[in-house]
Amino acid sequence: MKRRDVLRILPAAAGGLAVAGVAGASPARAGSRPAVPLPADLSWWRDARLGMFVHWGPVSLRGTEIGWSRGREVPVEEYDALYRRFDPSFFDARDWARLAKDAGMGYLVLTTKHHDGFCLWPSGLTDYDIATTPFRRDVVRELADACRDQGIVFCAYHSICDWRHPDYPLGSPGGKTRKPAPDMDRYTAYLKGQLAELLQSYGPLGILWFDGEWEEPWTEERGEDLYRYCRSLQPSVIVNNRVAKGRQDMAGTTAAGAFGGDYDTPEQRVGRFQPDRPWESCITLCEQWAWKPDDAMKTLDECVRTLVTCAGGDGNLLLNVGPMPTGEIEARQADRLREIGSWLKTHGEAVYATRGGPFLPGEWGTSTHRERSVYLHVLRWPAQGPLVLPALERRIVAASVVGGGRAEATQSAAGTVVRVAPENRRPIDTVLRLDLDGPAGTLAPR
Ligand code: FHN
């Protein structure tokens, strides 16, 4: 399936997000809190496989990490005053949305508010927002509209912790500083009020990407309540597992028995093969989440390998860029994203709208499947001889190299043997399509 087919799904998803109902409730835990509703449909998101993550705010003026450099590399008073100088006059949301499309991305997640508390939209609940900067323009509105014009589903990252807000107890990572008179109930009402602004004024949103849940003031109960609240405002919005307390560190999986929202969130790594619960790896294109001058940037090889190993694990990749204080995405980062898009133009059928497996990831590479086809992403050929994979119950009726080229596949009870002449192998990832005599989805992982 070419990306354009997925986009055919996505605009409908983007438009339909407001109407989808709720598929039902998650199984209530015996004697526990009431069941929480599950989203109607994650398929637009799983089919998209690749999204753009954007970490941006006045901190880009300093080129240090958003949130985390407040009170570290940048004194708190200076950090909290940066907004007075924030005037990204070259910001053009259409450029960002077009770049996401050219990169083969189906959705975009913007930091509406990070841990530093600054809001990229004119909130009625605080003055610490874009309206009080020299720039004044509503970044969230412009980007939401530009995304919809490009068929990109617009989504919001929103931090639960807020190291600046007087009602949130902690004033810095790990609670080294504490607010004098915090009030978590009042802060939670503020949090909900801002989410209502985002969902009702900028929605329908594809995803609410929560973060900053790990600190002591936030609880499982508040998380489940917030999930219900968001779902009540927009039944179709997808909510990640960082809404509550179940996330297990950077592995991003949800602890047994904990509430995990709609999907898991591995960070700065590719998630494990996990076909029974949706997941998405969030990974930076450079090293820092927010813009940093001369930051090290991943090669195209690293980006493609990361994307296909996410897909092979049955997960998504949310690839992050940090725009500059001018409002532009750095040219070299934009070029890298376009290179990814160019690779996907040829190989997208082996990524978009696929599921992971049936061959489990290994040193050799990984596999995806859709309909009656299994795709092999061969990232490393055996030093000698053919690639030998486990046997398949279905008969292979054809084998080919995606993008052109001959491939040979022979089967026996002992296994599946794949041969591709060196001249038909591709740099980074040789993608093979094995056409089967029946649906690939019925094949168990092996
Ligand atoms: O502290 C944040 C960090 O700044 C960034 O937003 C990442 C993205 O997932 N999440 C937190 C670190 O786990």
Side-chain angles (χ1 to χ4, degrees):
M1 171 180 290
K2 295 292 182 203
R3 183 173 173 280
R4 60 178 172 277
D5 300 336
V6 176
L7 279 186
R8 190 168 40 77
I9 299 169
L10 291 178
L17 290 177
V19 298
V22 175
S26 63
R29 300 180 192 83
S32 68
R33 292 178 290 282
V36 285
L38 290 175
D41 177 8
L42 280 73
S43 60
W44 71 263
W45 170 71
R46 299 188 85 167
D47 287 350
R49 279 298 184 225
L50 177 61
M52 179 187 276
F53 211 172
V54 180
H55 278 66
W56 197 40
V59 69
S60 55
L61 287 160
R62 286 297 309 267
T64 55
E65 188 59 286
I66 191 166
W68 295 92
S69 60
R70 181 178 180 272
R72 291 180 173 174
E73 299 92 320
V74 185
V76 169
E77 298 69 29
E78 181 187 342
Y79 188 109
D80 290 355
L82 288 171
Y83 77 101
R84 296 193 186 112
R85 295 194 287 121
F86 190 54
D87 190 8
S89 53
F90 290 97
F91 171 70
D92 186 334
R94 294 166 301 181
D95 292 343
W96 292 16
R98 214 169 7 247
L99 176 59
K101 185 173 180 179
D102 292 346
M105 296 166 161
Y107 59 105
L108 184 150
V109 181
L110 172 71
T111 52
T112 50
K113 184 198 81 167
H114 203 264
H115 313 332
D116 59 14
F118 181 79
C119 303
L120 280 175
W121 81 100
S123 170
L125 301 174
T126 179
D127 291 334
Y128 192 48
D129 65 14
I130 197 73
T132 54
T133 68
F135 187 64
R136 301 181 62 80
R137 281 162 43 191
D138 185 346
V139 167
V140 177
R141 165 69 58 217
E142 293 184 27
L143 193 52
D145 291 350
C147 283
R148 287 191 185 99
D149 290 348
Q150 293 289 340
I152 300 286
V153 178
F154 181 69
C155 311
Y157 164 112
H158 204 74
S159 177
I160 288 169
C161 71
D162 188 323
W163 293 330
R164 180 180 179 277
H165 195 284
D167 286 332
Y168 182 77
L170 309 186
S172 56
K176 294 183 185 60
T177 57
R178 301 184 78 90
K179 310 289 175 41
D183 182 322
M184 230 7 229
D185 289 338
R186 202 164 52 211
Y187 176 72
T188 302
Y190 169 78
L191 182 64
K192 285 183 169 181
Q194 289 202 322
L195 290 164
E197 289 181 333
L198 292 169
L199 285 166
Q200 292 171 331
S201 305
Y202 300 89
L205 302 181
I207 298 168
L208 272 176
W209 212 101
F210 287 107
D211 199 14
E213 85 291 357
W214 61 84
E215 294 192 324
E216 161 264 324
W218 194 246
T219 66
E220 181 81 355
E221 290 72 20
R222 289 188 191 275
E224 284 196 30
D225 171 63
L226 188 61
Y227 180 93
R228 282 192 202 86
Y229 175 73
C230 296
R231 183 131 340 284
S232 70
L233 293 178
Q234 184 191 318
S236 60
V237 69
I238 297 172
V239 178
N240 71 358
N241 66 350
R242 302 189 187 192
V243 67
K245 301 289 281 192
R247 170 174 63 125
Q248 299 183 99
D249 58 53
M250 305 299 258
T253 49
T254 301
F259 180 66
D262 305 323
Y263 71 91
D264 289 348
T265 53
E267 180 166 328
Q268 296 291 32
R269 69 195 65 192
V270 172
R272 66 185 183 192
F273 181 80
Q274 183 179 279
D276 57 345
R277 179 167 161 80
W279 60 269
E280 169 198 71
S281 281
C282 56
I283 296 177
T284 51
L285 178 59
C286 292
E287 291 190 349
Q288 194 169 273
W289 292 100
W291 182 67
K292 174 182 173 186
D294 305 321
D295 199 359
M297 182 173 72
K298 289 177 175 64
T299 63
L300 175 62
D301 187 306
E302 289 172 296
C303 293
V304 169
R305 285 172 181 271
T306 301
L307 171 60
V308 301
T309 42
C310 283
D314 203 32
N316 281 30
L317 171 61
L318 186 60
L319 188 59
N320 180 82
V321 291
M324 299 188 286
T326 60
E328 299 159 297
I329 292 172
E330 216 179 350
R332 63 178 183 132
Q333 295 189 43
D335 291 344
R336 182 70 79 242
L337 293 186
R338 291 189 191 98
E339 288 173 342
I340 296 168
S342 174
W343 185 87
L344 281 165
K345 277 196 173 52
T346 303
H347 302 93
E349 66 176 272
V351 174
Y352 296 129
T354 63
R355 298 297 305 276
F359 297 109
L360 293 172
E363 279 300 304
W364 64 276
T366 193
S367 69
T368 57
H369 68 271
R370 187 184 63 236
E371 295 154 9
R372 301 167 76 102
S373 297
V374 170
Y375 295 94
L376 306 182
H377 295 269
V378 186
L379 303 171
R380 176 181 299 168
W381 289 92
Q384 290 176 339
L387 173 64
V388 181
L389 296 172
L392 278 178
E393 297 87 326
R394 291 228 178 266
R395 188 165 60 85
I396 298 170
V397 298
S400 58
V401 175
V402 173
R406 280 176 45 78
E408 180 193 327
T410 52
Q411 297 177 271
S412 71
T416 307
V417 180
V418 177
R419 289 182 176 83
V420 174
E423 63 271 19
N424 285 326
R425 297 178 185 181
R426 293 282 188 283
I428 305 179
D429 175 11
T430 301
V431 183
L432 308 182
R433 190 176 72 228
L434 307 179
D435 294 322
L436 308 181
D437 65 351
T442 59
L443 295 169
R446 71 259 345 263

